[in-house]
Amino acid sequence: MGRIRVLSPELINQIAAGEVVERPASVVKELAENSVDAGATNIHVELSGGGLQLIRVIDDGVGMSPSEAVLALERHATSKLVDAAGLFQIFTKGFRGEALPAIASVSKFVLHTSEQDAAVGVRIEIDGGGPLRQVEAAAAHGTRIEVEDLFFNVPARRKFLKREQTELVHCEEAMIRLALAHPEVGFFLSHDGRALLAAPAAVEDPAERIAAALGAEVHPHLLAVAEARLGVKISGHVASPEFTQSNARGLYTFVNRRYIRDRGVNFAVQRAFQESLPPGRQPVAVLFIELDPSQVDVNVHPQKLEVRFADPRGVQEALIAGISKALKGAPWRQGDAAAVPDEAHYAQAVDRFLARAQTPAAFLETPPGLGLSFGQARPGINEAPPPGYFGRLRFIGGLAQRLWVCEAPGGTLVVIDPRSAMERVFLHQLRDTQPTLFSSTVELPQPELGLVTDGAEVLAELGLHVEPFGGNTVTVSSLPAMLEAADLRQLLIDLAPALDDLPKALSLIASHAAAAQVRPFTHEEAHALLKRLDDADFTACCLHPKVVVREVPLLELLAGTEN
Ligand code: ADP
Ligand code: MG
């Protein structure tokens, strides 16, 4: 056995570096986090050679005085953690005080910093954890750190790194996580002079930050999440279910603004989406969990990705409630409540029906957000249901001839307005329907008579051939088959002022056709209609957009009664 020796500070730092500095991306993360902690408004990160040649981080934060800078490079020097009790009260990103010395022990390290109002700054150089060289330098109004030749003195580690491109992707990901967590700070990343991320501060609209970080194409699909219950606050955005990914990389979760990965959290997100996502697809979501720091232990993992919640279940429930609520904001589910005047009546009927189907207690205990409420449509956002949604519903029966009760796979009760459903199907069908021959005379009041005869050409395009017959009467010689049972007079009166607005005219026709069809349905007819609904165009304007009136996740109801 050898003699017991005290390890040299260099060696201690290199050992720490093994934990803190795994690859270039860890350096990017640690340094940019320090910049955030320093109150920077803009953080620029420049890389070359995948971060192996050079990582340069420039911020306009509070900076350091020369003596602070020297201290910061000593191991476990931190301005952020005071005592052990403080471990449970961590708000800032860093807290171990080991990043800077660890990085400096495995690279050629240069720190240039000054406090905001200082006339001069300091420049400190360290090569591979060797002696610190300090010189006076120009004021920096913030901090600038250069990390060159990472692991130059630890060939064994360097050997384990992947290709430049792979390391670069990891660096980018580290920046994206931080950028998502801090929309109030500007983040800029470039590699060999090429810009990879340009995310200017997005204080007003955090969705803009998501678009800057994850790609602009997600923006129109984002639904805001806001939920607060039992000391847990959930905020952020989810993409509506028509915008999905084949992998889980679009899921970003944060606890008190720190990026985390947690199985329970992932599970809750999956669960909230399970009914609406097509098989094999993964959601895109950026979710912030905020809770009292004493309710979460962030110090479980050297890379600080894992956390331990005091009440994991409470966090999961809040997530499920918040996401479910956001997903219900889809127009094809919610529509405009005012468009269906007798809504409240039927909603009550459904409630009674469900209360009977389930034990009443279970229904009453539905946490807010899980049972559904009526909301406002958000035009332009989340227009389309997930592919195959309606075809997978099992029709249970009609309610007061006005609503259909269906079951979605996995046990969600879905209440549908068949009239709106038909309207969607007809609207879609109208595009390529052949008029059928027909003969009927209709007497019209003025001014509709004039409008209809003037608009005969437009009507013909819509499949309605209308000609003056003399007096106040017109003949209708052909029409789309779906209108055979419709009230033609009322239809023409409604259409007359809308003939210069083709989408409006089309939705009027579809709506009249649908109204004429309301009657008891067989199971086969219901399923046929549901299947056709999957082909309908949910982005088209519709008079009664609310197809899904209510969705009640029965699983959640049952889960609520487990204990
Ligand atoms: P930690 O972040 O855990 O405190 P670090 O080694 O990352 O440990 O940093 C040590 C200290 O150096 C920090 O506590 C902070 O006071 C100071 N520091 C590091 N980076 C910056 C920066 N960009 N601007 C201002 N101060 C900084
Ligand atoms: Mg730090």
Side-chain angles (χ1 to χ4, degrees):
M1 253 236 266
R3 279 201 314 136
I4 294 174
R5 277 175 305 141
V6 175
L7 296 176
S8 72
E10 284 97 321
L11 198 51
I12 293 174
N13 284 335
Q14 282 193 17
I15 293 169
E19 276 197 354
V20 181
V21 190
E22 191 193 349
R23 60 192 340 161
S26 346
V27 176
V28 169
K29 168 179 175 281
E30 293 294 335
L31 296 185
E33 277 185 358
N34 280 347
S35 299
V36 170
D37 282 348
T41 53
N42 284 300
I43 301 169
H44 290 261
V45 177
E46 299 163 15
L47 307 174
S48 48
L52 290 161
Q53 254 169 51
L54 176 71
I55 299 167
R56 182 184 289 132
V57 179
I58 304 164
D59 72 48
D60 56 359
V62 293
M64 288 172 267
S65 70
S67 58
E68 281 170 345
V70 171
L71 201 61
L73 284 158
E74 283 170 16
R75 188 147 193 251
H76 297 305
T78 174
S79 52
K80 299 167 195 171
L81 177 68
V82 184
D83 55 23
L87 258 186
F88 294 97
Q89 297 287 336
I90 288 156
F91 278 107
T92 51
K93 298 273 163 212
F95 53 85
R96 292 159 187 254
E98 54 192 16
L100 291 189
I103 294 166
S105 76
V106 290
S107 68
K108 294 168 186 160
F109 181 94
V110 181
L111 163 68
H112 179 185
T113 186
S114 76
E115 292 175 299
Q116 281 302 327
D117 49 1
V120 290
V122 66
R123 182 184 158 95
I124 296 176
E125 291 184 24
I126 299 179
D127 282 348
L132 173 157
R133 300 187 299 278
Q134 173 188 0
V135 290
E136 201 177 277
H141 305 295
T143 300
R144 171 192 182 106
I145 291 179
E146 283 169 16
V147 175
E148 249 184 294
D149 258 340
L150 188 64
F151 298 135
F152 78 99
N153 56 342
V154 203
R157 285 207 74 90
R158 182 130 192 166
K159 225 172 50 200
F160 276 103
L161 293 179
K162 302 278 189 304
R163 290 184 307 124
E164 227 182 82
Q165 179 57 31
T166 311
E167 295 306 328
L168 179 59
V169 168
H170 284 283
C171 291
E172 223 180 324
E173 185 62 21
M175 280 292 273
I176 286 174
R177 291 172 185 173
L178 260 184
L180 287 173
H182 297 279
E184 74 285 359
V185 180
F187 286 88
F188 303 87
L189 174 69
S190 65
H191 183 247
D192 293 333
R194 191 167 62 91
L196 295 179
L197 173 73
V203 192
E204 298 293 318
D205 180 11
E208 258 169 46
R209 171 51 55 90
I210 298 175
L214 302 185
E217 62 281 4
V218 72
H219 191 268
H221 304 278
L222 292 174
L223 301 167
V225 175
E227 178 70 28
R229 43 158 66 198
L230 303 171
V232 183
K233 195 177 146 228
I234 309 289
S235 61
H237 288 80
V238 293
S240 55
E242 82 275 1
F243 191 94
T244 56
Q245 284 194 177
S246 57
N247 55 46
R249 265 179 251 138
L251 175 58
Y252 291 86
T253 49
F254 301 83
V255 170
N256 294 342
R257 300 281 147 178
R258 183 194 301 274
Y259 177 84
I260 58 117
R261 272 202 302 249
D262 179 76
R263 286 181 59 184
V265 164
N266 291 359
F267 173 76
V269 176
Q270 301 282 350
R271 179 115 165 224
F273 269 97
Q274 73 184 0
E275 280 313 304
S276 41
L277 280 190
R281 303 297 294 177
Q282 298 287 332
V284 175
V286 177
L287 294 163
F288 299 100
I289 302 163
E290 264 150 290
L291 31 64
D292 188 290
S294 68
Q295 294 301 299
V296 54
D297 182 2
V298 293
N299 198 16
V300 231
H301 191 279
Q303 304 264 0
K304 299 174 234 161
L305 282 184
E306 283 163 23
V307 289
R308 206 174 284 143
F309 294 109
D311 174 18
R313 179 140 179 198
V315 171
Q316 291 176 25
E317 281 170 2
L319 276 167
I320 292 175
I323 298 169
S324 306
K325 219 185 268 176
L327 291 177
K328 305 258 140 68
W332 57 277
R333 299 173 196 262
Q334 291 283 292
D336 179 1
V340 187
D342 48 357
E343 196 72 68
H345 171 76
Y346 283 103
Q348 280 167 15
V350 172
D351 276 351
R352 283 199 299 274
F353 174 86
L354 294 175
R356 247 181 283 129
Q358 293 296 308
T359 67
F363 194 70
L364 284 175
E365 272 170 30
T366 312
L370 289 182
L372 291 147
S373 54
F374 298 102
Q376 283 300 304
R378 296 155 47 102
I381 296 183
N382 198 16
E383 297 93 343
Y389 176 88
F390 293 102
R392 280 186 280 145
L393 297 181
R394 186 173 73 83
F395 177 66
I396 297 172
L399 194 69
Q401 280 193 37
R402 181 61 176 70
L403 294 173
W404 287 358
V405 179
C406 306
E407 186 194 7
T412 291
L413 214 91
V414 177
V415 180
I416 281 185
D417 176 0
R419 192 186 145 172
S420 304
M422 257 179 287
E423 195 173 321
R424 282 266 172 228
V425 168
F426 284 148
L427 188 61
H428 190 65
Q429 204 176 304
L430 262 172
R431 290 176 183 172
D432 45 27
T433 188
Q434 290 299 319
T436 52
L437 292 182
F438 186 80
S439 180
S440 175
T441 53
V442 180
E443 205 185 306
L444 289 175
Q446 286 288 5
E448 283 80 2
L449 180 69
L451 289 167
V452 163
T453 43
D454 288 351
E457 247 172 70
V458 182
L459 282 168
E461 269 173 52
L462 297 169
L464 278 150
H465 289 94
V466 180
E467 281 161 36
F469 188 67
N472 284 349
T473 309
V474 293
T475 49
V476 179
S477 57
S478 76
L479 44 61
M482 68 182 74
L483 283 174
E484 274 171 14
D487 177 347
L488 273 187
R489 181 169 185 272
Q490 194 55 49
L491 172 64
L492 289 175
I493 290 174
D494 289 349
L495 270 180
L499 288 174
D500 55 352
D501 180 351
L502 208 59
K504 175 84 185 291
L506 281 168
S507 45
L508 274 166
I509 293 177
S511 161
H512 272 266
Q517 298 278 329
V518 176
R519 58 183 171 79
F521 271 77
T522 66
H523 279 242
E524 288 69 32
E525 286 172 322
H527 277 130
L529 181 76
L530 289 173
K531 282 225 171 60
R532 281 159 74 194
L533 205 48
D534 277 328
D535 298 325
D537 177 4
F538 277 82
T539 62
C541 231
C542 197
L543 290 188
H544 303 97
K546 184 195 303 198
V547 173
V548 172
V549 179
R550 281 204 150 202
E551 261 182 335
V552 183
L554 288 181
L555 271 183
E556 296 312 327
L557 290 176
L558 296 174
T561 57
E562 261 166 29
N563 42 22

